[in-house]
């Protein structure tokens, strides 16, 4: 596409926004965070760069957030914990850094899919012990250290198939 700006973007009734594979080469557009009723954002395979704005946490209607394979960097904003209806969070293959707070991610109680592989995240893996619906967790190819928390995925469904990938980190213990 030839989109160079999202200035003036509004849509009080917009529910889905598809921007996948549009060759967008710009900072993540802050204007998108003004779409308060957006349920799904698909913005994979672009060249969004820089940090995600903290206003992302104001998009409380989001159920699906896909930011796969961009050039986003910096910490994942803690305000993401405000997205209490979020079921799918895919931000793999970016350049996110920093740690993941158990307090922040445990507030995403509806989360089913959490994909943060192929970033530069570090520190201990969050416990995710309050996620009752989680089915898929992808943390591979980061810089996580330490042992997996004893209460990791404590309340995840026990009678359903689950995928957890944590390869290529510096984890220790059982």
């Amino acid at each position: 596409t030839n989109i160079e700006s999202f200035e003036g973007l509004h849509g009080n009734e917009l529910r889905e926004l598809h921007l996948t594979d549009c060759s967008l080469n710009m900072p993540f557009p802050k204007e998108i965070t003004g779409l308060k009723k957006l349920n799904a954002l698909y913005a994979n395979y672009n060249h969004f760069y820089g940090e995600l704005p903290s206003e992302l946490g104001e998009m409380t209607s989001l159920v699906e957030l896909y930011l796969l394979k961009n050039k986003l960097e910096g910490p994942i904003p803690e305000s993401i914990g405000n997205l209490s209806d979020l079921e799918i969070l895919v931000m793999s293959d970016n350049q996110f850094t920093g740690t993941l707070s158990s307090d922040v991610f445990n507030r995403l109680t509806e989360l089913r899919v959490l994909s943060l592989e192929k970033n530069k995240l570090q520190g201990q893996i969050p416990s995710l012990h309050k996620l009752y619906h989680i089915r898929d967790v992808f943390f591979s190819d980061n810089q996580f250290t330490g042992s997996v928390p004893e209460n990791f995925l404590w309340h995840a469904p026990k009678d359903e198939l689950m995928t957890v990938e944590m390869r290529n980190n510096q984890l220790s213990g059982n």
Side-chain angles (χ1 to χ4, degrees), residues 24-86:
L24 299 170
N25 190 3
M26 61 180 72
F28 183 84
K30 194 173 182 179
E31 294 86 352
I32 289 175
T33 66
L35 303 173
K36 303 299 185 205
K37 293 189 178 182
L38 201 65
N39 298 127
L41 174 60
Y42 304 94
N44 302 313
Y45 300 100
N46 283 294
H47 303 284
F48 288 128
Y49 58 84
E51 295 188 10
L52 284 176
S54 63
E55 291 84 357
L56 186 69
E58 297 171 12
M59 299 178 70
T60 55
S61 295
L62 272 180
V63 175
E64 298 180 27
L65 176 57
Y66 290 89
L67 296 171
L68 172 72
K69 202 158 176 69
N70 280 283
K71 297 178 181 178
L72 296 165
E73 59 189 16
I76 295 171
E78 289 193 7
S79 64
I80 206 159
N82 298 337
L83 305 179
S84 58
D85 291 336
L86 199 63

Side-chain angles (χ1 to χ4, degrees), residues 22-146:
C22 289
S23 300
L24 299 170
N25 190 3
M26 61 180 72
F28 183 84
K30 194 173 182 179
E31 294 86 352
I32 289 175
T33 66
L35 303 173
K36 303 299 185 205
K37 293 189 178 182
L38 201 65
N39 298 127
L41 174 60
Y42 304 94
N44 302 313
Y45 300 100
N46 283 294
H47 303 284
F48 288 128
Y49 58 84
E51 295 188 10
L52 284 176
S54 63
E55 291 84 357
L56 186 69
E58 297 171 12
M59 299 178 70
T60 55
S61 295
L62 272 180
V63 175
E64 298 180 27
L65 176 57
Y66 290 89
L67 296 171
L68 172 72
K69 202 158 176 69
N70 280 283
K71 297 178 181 178
L72 296 165
E73 59 189 16
I76 295 171
E78 289 193 7
S79 64
I80 206 159
N82 298 337
L83 305 179
S84 58
D85 291 336
L86 199 63
E87 294 179 12
I88 299 173
L89 177 58
V90 177
M91 298 195 303
S92 296
D93 214 343
N94 279 285
Q95 298 169 20
F96 289 114
T97 57
T99 60
L100 301 180
S101 165
S102 290
D103 292 337
V104 170
F105 281 86
N106 277 315
R107 291 188 349 233
L108 302 175
T109 55
E110 298 300 316
L111 207 58
R112 292 183 294 116
V113 177
L114 176 58
S115 183
L116 298 172
E117 63 189 342
K118 294 183 182 177
N119 279 290
K120 298 176 182 176
L121 298 166
Q122 55 194 14
Q124 187 172 12
I125 292 211
S127 67
L128 308 179
H129 67 279
K130 293 185 179 179
L131 304 186
Y132 290 85
H133 306 288
I134 195 80
R135 300 292 187 283
D136 299 299
V137 178
F138 301 97
F139 285 159
S140 296
D141 300 303
N142 277 287
Q143 299 167 8
F144 291 116
T145 57

